[in-house]
Amino acid sequence: MSQSASLPSDYQLPSRPNPLILDSLPDLPNVDGCSPRIHQRIDLLLLAIEALELGGSEYMLATAKDLELQSIIDNRVTLWRLRCTNPWRRSYTRSGLTIPQAKALVVIISDRARRLTMLIRQLLTAYNDTQAKGLPLEQHFRLSEYIERFRTHFRSRMNPRRAKVALYLDQEDLLNQLAIALLTQLLFCTGVAGRQRLWVSLFDGEVL
Amino acid sequence: MSIKRQYNLPNVRLQLDGMNPSLITTDSAATGQRPLMSIVTNVECHFSNSEQFLSGGREFLDSLVRAVSQYGQEVLSGIPHPLAHEPAIVRLMKGDKPDRHLLVSETPDGQTVNIHLNTLELFDLVDVVDQFCSDTRTLPDLQLTLEPISRRHRLADVPAHERAMPLMSGVGSLAIAAVLLFFLPVPEVTIPEDRPAEATEQTDGEDLATDDPPLTPEDEADEEAANEEADELAATEAEDPPAQPTGDRISSRELEALLTDAEPIEDPTELDFIQRYLFREISGNWDDRDAVTEDLAFRVSATIDGSIVAYEAVDDTPASADELTPLPDLEFAPTQAAIEAREAIADYKVVFTRNGVLQINPWAGYQGRPGYGETIDDPDTLAQIQDDLIDTLRDVWDEDGETLGNDLIFRVGVTESGAIADYQPQNNAAFQLEGNTPLPDLLTPEAAGIDRERGSVIPSEPMGQFQVIFKEGGRVEVSPF
């Protein structure tokens, strides 16, 4: 029996209102909320993670628990609501993320990305190879699987009435490029300073 | 003692040789910590894909850290970080393909080393630098500093040469104009014969209205009389010369000359932009609409920056009726400089109708179909702007928006940064209920360079044109115009 079994099974420490891990991300001056563009980038990165690993959203919830982020993301519905701040979504809520909420999602993205480092590197190497040899992306099984899943997720969740979404849905090549661009962004999240890099990059072109 | 540090990633190896002058060898052994490197003597950066490597001292290291860190952020956000490209020992830039990057380094002997990296290799370089920066036992004064870049750098989607086009064509046309104007004689300022009379009249205290009608044949007799009077007063002229046009304000006659000599603005697009600017100016300042009990018509002359330089009552409107309109407040006395510059003029017929509606039309009509200035053509950018516009409008147009059961249709011009810089009602309901929509509040013409302060109400920035329909119940639709 493990040690934790000696505690009553329903015993839970009260979660901290402001999880400590969020302090690893700097508070940027003159920033008190997130723009639609930030909501969109965060949700798309999460979408790419889902395309990388089956059951991705379950892993995200598990990560939230491991990193003591339950006060912000306590269940599936909360996670879904936070992701619906992406204006491209069919179920766009028109509400915004608070800074702690956005930080929590960034922490989850970079943590998941770090665990998927090998796969991400593998796929990008495959992409480089196919590009160098002028081969179609479908040539590489694992890469085409990622892109195919990403396209399916994108199609089923994004609102085709948005002009930008329609553009992606209309041009498969553009959507493939988006999938690869997101994979590249995830790669940059896997480094030692990946979490901070992603967080600060979200505000590029947003601050005065 | 000399210290060596190495940071390894699959594609990149960073090696630092340095020392710590204040350190005695036994110290570190006692604390069990790695010795602190406080001075770096040599840095080498090796790449698995290349025989070439970069090396240098502290300056090189500083430059490497800055360029790599900034460029890493650029790849993540897609928004260029100018610091990564600035002249420095180490620079990083986009390569010939989207997933290629070019690392350029100047060696101390003046040679340039170019290393091509793919995205994975670039990432390893970024991470090797991050690992070194976060190592507190190696040069602790060098730390990773990450800052988002300002909104000013956001115009990333338009290639630089396209952004430079308006500037280039502007400079070009200025040069052409300068060459042509060089051959024109400098206009001589001649004081009209009858000036003394006028000057005398002024000293007599007679009011000279600026909107004196131009001389007609009927006036010739008067003019002759005035000339005679002028002859009589020739002696006085020497003692009391007429005011030379040196000050800012110019006389009514000079103004008249300006208006008759000025080149008319004929470009329909320019006429249209000035007209919209005038409409907003005049309508926004026309407060007491009930005071107007009959239609008041004026001929209004405006320059390219939207300044009303002159106006006169027309169509049986009494000259004094301007007091009921905002025109006297808006009139902008042209300066001597304006005359010398021979500013082009556009004339409009402005009617203040008795039911409180303002009508403005070009005096000579349009010679052709007005456009909307330079347009954004890139479908990707347009789609982004359209989505941003929908978000903006949905946020502010809610159930309380009163349409009286109508669809309010507008054409809206939006800049690349998403600013609404121009709009125009497209149906009568939109015209009447414009004030109920959020458009007047959201309008920032300056974003497109429509700025009187800048000297022109013609946009200098390209815009995307959209049709916006405000519907009842807080619904709004946006489509390409």
Side-chain angles (χ1 to χ4, degrees), chain B residues 312-335:
Chain B
E312 61 176 336
V314 293
D315 294 354
D316 303 327
T317 302
S320 59
D322 64 346
E323 293 301 329
L324 300 171
T325 76
L327 288 177
D329 295 335
L330 296 173
E331 192 188 12
F332 171 81
T335 58

mmCIF file of all heavy atoms in Angstrom, chain B residues 312-335:
data_model
loop_
_atom_site.group_PDB
_atom_site.id
_atom_site.type_symbol
_atom_site.label_atom_id
_atom_site.label_comp_id
_atom_site.label_asym_id
_atom_site.label_seq_id
_atom_site.Cartn_x
_atom_site.Cartn_y
_atom_site.Cartn_z
ATOM 1 N N GLU B 312 -19.407 81.217 -49.618
ATOM 2 C CA GLU B 312 -20.302 82.334 -49.910
ATOM 3 C C GLU B 312 -21.720 81.788 -50.043
ATOM 4 O O GLU B 312 -21.926 80.635 -50.442
ATOM 5 C CB GLU B 312 -19.875 83.042 -51.205
ATOM 6 C CG GLU B 312 -19.911 82.152 -52.425
ATOM 7 C CD GLU B 312 -19.567 82.922 -53.687
ATOM 8 O OE1 GLU B 312 -19.752 84.148 -53.688
ATOM 9 O OE2 GLU B 312 -19.127 82.297 -54.663
ATOM 10 N N ALA B 313 -22.666 82.652 -49.694
ATOM 11 C CA ALA B 313 -24.054 82.233 -49.774
ATOM 12 C C ALA B 313 -24.480 82.193 -51.240
ATOM 13 O O ALA B 313 -24.086 83.052 -52.023
ATOM 14 C CB ALA B 313 -24.923 83.208 -48.989
ATOM 15 N N VAL B 314 -25.214 81.188 -51.613
ATOM 16 C CA VAL B 314 -25.699 81.094 -52.999
ATOM 17 C C VAL B 314 -27.197 80.796 -52.992
ATOM 18 O O VAL B 314 -27.786 80.571 -51.921
ATOM 19 C CB VAL B 314 -24.954 79.997 -53.798
ATOM 20 C CG1 VAL B 314 -23.501 80.375 -54.010
ATOM 21 C CG2 VAL B 314 -25.066 78.656 -53.096
ATOM 22 N N ASP B 315 -27.803 80.800 -54.190
ATOM 23 C CA ASP B 315 -29.222 80.452 -54.354
ATOM 24 C C ASP B 315 -30.134 81.263 -53.440
ATOM 25 O O ASP B 315 -30.913 80.706 -52.656
ATOM 26 C CB ASP B 315 -29.451 78.958 -54.065
ATOM 27 C CG ASP B 315 -28.779 78.051 -55.078
ATOM 28 O OD1 ASP B 315 -28.240 78.613 -56.058
ATOM 29 O OD2 ASP B 315 -28.787 76.838 -54.885
ATOM 30 N N ASP B 316 -30.024 82.577 -53.506
ATOM 31 C CA ASP B 316 -30.913 83.478 -52.752
ATOM 32 C C ASP B 316 -30.750 83.373 -51.246
ATOM 33 O O ASP B 316 -31.582 83.876 -50.493
ATOM 34 C CB ASP B 316 -32.408 83.213 -53.088
ATOM 35 C CG ASP B 316 -32.661 83.358 -54.581
ATOM 36 O OD1 ASP B 316 -31.963 84.208 -55.186
ATOM 37 O OD2 ASP B 316 -33.508 82.618 -55.118
ATOM 38 N N THR B 317 -29.726 82.665 -50.799
ATOM 39 C CA THR B 317 -29.508 82.627 -49.355
ATOM 40 C C THR B 317 -28.872 83.954 -48.943
ATOM 41 O O THR B 317 -27.884 84.369 -49.545
ATOM 42 C CB THR B 317 -28.546 81.478 -48.996
ATOM 43 O OG1 THR B 317 -29.115 80.263 -49.460
ATOM 44 C CG2 THR B 317 -28.310 81.400 -47.504
ATOM 45 N N PRO B 318 -29.467 84.644 -47.975
ATOM 46 C CA PRO B 318 -28.870 85.918 -47.557
ATOM 47 C C PRO B 318 -27.456 85.700 -47.000
ATOM 48 O O PRO B 318 -27.186 84.692 -46.339
ATOM 49 C CB PRO B 318 -29.820 86.433 -46.479
ATOM 50 C CG PRO B 318 -30.687 85.287 -46.114
ATOM 51 C CD PRO B 318 -30.690 84.316 -47.246
ATOM 52 N N ALA B 319 -26.579 86.643 -47.292
ATOM 53 C CA ALA B 319 -25.171 86.503 -46.892
ATOM 54 C C ALA B 319 -25.024 86.362 -45.381
ATOM 55 O O ALA B 319 -24.102 85.720 -44.889
ATOM 56 C CB ALA B 319 -24.372 87.703 -47.384
ATOM 57 N N SER B 320 -25.947 86.963 -44.647
ATOM 58 C CA SER B 320 -25.814 86.936 -43.183
ATOM 59 C C SER B 320 -26.313 85.618 -42.578
ATOM 60 O O SER B 320 -26.154 85.372 -41.388
ATOM 61 C CB SER B 320 -26.604 88.088 -42.576
ATOM 62 O OG SER B 320 -27.964 87.944 -42.956
ATOM 63 N N ALA B 321 -26.903 84.770 -43.449
ATOM 64 C CA ALA B 321 -27.494 83.530 -42.929
ATOM 65 C C ALA B 321 -26.429 82.575 -42.392
ATOM 66 O O ALA B 321 -26.739 81.604 -41.697
ATOM 67 C CB ALA B 321 -28.308 82.826 -44.015
ATOM 68 N N ASP B 322 -25.142 82.855 -42.733
ATOM 69 C CA ASP B 322 -24.094 81.957 -42.257
ATOM 70 C C ASP B 322 -24.041 81.914 -40.735
ATOM 71 O O ASP B 322 -23.528 80.962 -40.157
ATOM 72 C CB ASP B 322 -22.735 82.345 -42.847
ATOM 73 C CG ASP B 322 -22.272 83.711 -42.396
ATOM 74 O OD1 ASP B 322 -23.112 84.466 -41.847
ATOM 75 O OD2 ASP B 322 -21.083 84.024 -42.594
ATOM 76 N N GLU B 323 -24.599 82.963 -40.106
ATOM 77 C CA GLU B 323 -24.601 83.000 -38.638
ATOM 78 C C GLU B 323 -25.394 81.830 -38.043
ATOM 79 O O GLU B 323 -25.157 81.424 -36.912
ATOM 80 C CB GLU B 323 -25.207 84.319 -38.131
ATOM 81 C CG GLU B 323 -24.374 85.546 -38.453
ATOM 82 C CD GLU B 323 -22.971 85.460 -37.869
ATOM 83 O OE1 GLU B 323 -22.811 84.824 -36.805
ATOM 84 O OE2 GLU B 323 -22.025 86.000 -38.492
ATOM 85 N N LEU B 324 -26.332 81.297 -38.833
ATOM 86 C CA LEU B 324 -27.157 80.183 -38.336
ATOM 87 C C LEU B 324 -26.448 78.839 -38.506
ATOM 88 O O LEU B 324 -26.945 77.821 -38.077
ATOM 89 C CB LEU B 324 -28.494 80.156 -39.088
ATOM 90 C CG LEU B 324 -29.347 81.419 -38.957
ATOM 91 C CD1 LEU B 324 -30.535 81.357 -39.906
ATOM 92 C CD2 LEU B 324 -29.815 81.576 -37.517
ATOM 93 N N THR B 325 -25.317 78.880 -39.190
ATOM 94 C CA THR B 325 -24.606 77.630 -39.496
ATOM 95 C C THR B 325 -23.247 77.619 -38.784
ATOM 96 O O THR B 325 -22.793 78.661 -38.309
ATOM 97 C CB THR B 325 -24.362 77.498 -41.013
ATOM 98 O OG1 THR B 325 -23.287 78.370 -41.361
ATOM 99 C CG2 THR B 325 -25.590 77.843 -41.812
ATOM 100 N N PRO B 326 -22.612 76.470 -38.732
ATOM 101 C CA PRO B 326 -21.282 76.438 -38.093
ATOM 102 C C PRO B 326 -20.171 76.951 -39.002
ATOM 103 O O PRO B 326 -19.017 76.952 -38.595
ATOM 104 C CB PRO B 326 -21.081 74.943 -37.780
ATOM 105 C CG PRO B 326 -21.956 74.221 -38.713
ATOM 106 C CD PRO B 326 -23.076 75.128 -39.095
ATOM 107 N N LEU B 327 -20.516 77.412 -40.217
ATOM 108 C CA LEU B 327 -19.465 77.782 -41.173
ATOM 109 C C LEU B 327 -18.495 78.852 -40.653
ATOM 110 O O LEU B 327 -17.283 78.688 -40.794
ATOM 111 C CB LEU B 327 -20.087 78.221 -42.506
ATOM 112 C CG LEU B 327 -20.690 77.094 -43.344
ATOM 113 C CD1 LEU B 327 -21.339 77.655 -44.609
ATOM 114 C CD2 LEU B 327 -19.638 76.063 -43.716
ATOM 115 N N PRO B 328 -18.998 79.945 -40.030
ATOM 116 C CA PRO B 328 -18.027 80.956 -39.591
ATOM 117 C C PRO B 328 -16.998 80.373 -38.603
ATOM 118 O O PRO B 328 -15.833 80.762 -38.625
ATOM 119 C CB PRO B 328 -18.898 82.012 -38.900
ATOM 120 C CG PRO B 328 -20.256 81.814 -39.458
ATOM 121 C CD PRO B 328 -20.383 80.358 -39.772
ATOM 122 N N ASP B 329 -17.448 79.428 -37.758
ATOM 123 C CA ASP B 329 -16.517 78.840 -36.796
ATOM 124 C C ASP B 329 -15.490 77.946 -37.465
ATOM 125 O O ASP B 329 -14.384 77.763 -36.961
ATOM 126 C CB ASP B 329 -17.282 77.988 -35.769
ATOM 127 C CG ASP B 329 -18.189 78.844 -34.927
ATOM 128 O OD1 ASP B 329 -17.877 80.053 -34.799
ATOM 129 O OD2 ASP B 329 -19.197 78.326 -34.413
ATOM 130 N N LEU B 330 -15.905 77.359 -38.569
ATOM 131 C CA LEU B 330 -15.029 76.362 -39.199
ATOM 132 C C LEU B 330 -14.117 76.968 -40.243
ATOM 133 O O LEU B 330 -13.185 76.329 -40.705
ATOM 134 C CB LEU B 330 -15.878 75.260 -39.850
ATOM 135 C CG LEU B 330 -16.705 74.423 -38.885
ATOM 136 C CD1 LEU B 330 -17.629 73.494 -39.656
ATOM 137 C CD2 LEU B 330 -15.797 73.602 -37.981
ATOM 138 N N GLU B 331 -14.433 78.222 -40.646
ATOM 139 C CA GLU B 331 -13.625 78.807 -41.707
ATOM 140 C C GLU B 331 -12.201 78.986 -41.211
ATOM 141 O O GLU B 331 -11.957 79.400 -40.085
ATOM 142 C CB GLU B 331 -14.196 80.150 -42.153
ATOM 143 C CG GLU B 331 -13.545 80.599 -43.434
ATOM 144 C CD GLU B 331 -13.955 82.016 -43.812
ATOM 145 O OE1 GLU B 331 -14.544 82.695 -42.956
ATOM 146 O OE2 GLU B 331 -13.655 82.410 -44.944
ATOM 147 N N PHE B 332 -11.302 78.647 -42.086
ATOM 148 C CA PHE B 332 -9.901 78.645 -41.720
ATOM 149 C C PHE B 332 -9.212 79.629 -42.645
ATOM 150 O O PHE B 332 -9.174 79.419 -43.861
ATOM 151 C CB PHE B 332 -9.358 77.227 -41.903
ATOM 152 C CG PHE B 332 -7.881 77.112 -41.764
ATOM 153 C CD1 PHE B 332 -7.306 77.043 -40.506
ATOM 154 C CD2 PHE B 332 -7.066 77.046 -42.886
ATOM 155 C CE1 PHE B 332 -5.933 76.919 -40.379
ATOM 156 C CE2 PHE B 332 -5.702 76.930 -42.757
ATOM 157 C CZ PHE B 332 -5.128 76.863 -41.497
ATOM 158 N N ALA B 333 -8.724 80.750 -42.085
ATOM 159 C CA ALA B 333 -8.115 81.761 -42.937
ATOM 160 C C ALA B 333 -6.835 81.207 -43.553
ATOM 161 O O ALA B 333 -5.948 80.784 -42.843
ATOM 162 C CB ALA B 333 -7.794 82.990 -42.109
ATOM 163 N N PRO B 334 -6.753 81.186 -44.872
ATOM 164 C CA PRO B 334 -5.536 80.665 -45.486
ATOM 165 C C PRO B 334 -4.376 81.628 -45.251
ATOM 166 O O PRO B 334 -4.578 82.827 -45.070
ATOM 167 C CB PRO B 334 -5.889 80.574 -46.966
ATOM 168 C CG PRO B 334 -7.002 81.526 -47.156
ATOM 169 C CD PRO B 334 -7.716 81.677 -45.854
ATOM 170 N N THR B 335 -3.228 81.118 -45.236
ATOM 171 C CA THR B 335 -2.051 81.933 -44.978
ATOM 172 C C THR B 335 -1.384 82.307 -46.286
ATOM 173 O O THR B 335 -1.718 81.778 -47.349
ATOM 174 C CB THR B 335 -1.039 81.159 -44.135
ATOM 175 O OG1 THR B 335 -0.720 79.976 -44.848
ATOM 176 C CG2 THR B 335 -1.607 80.802 -42.780
#
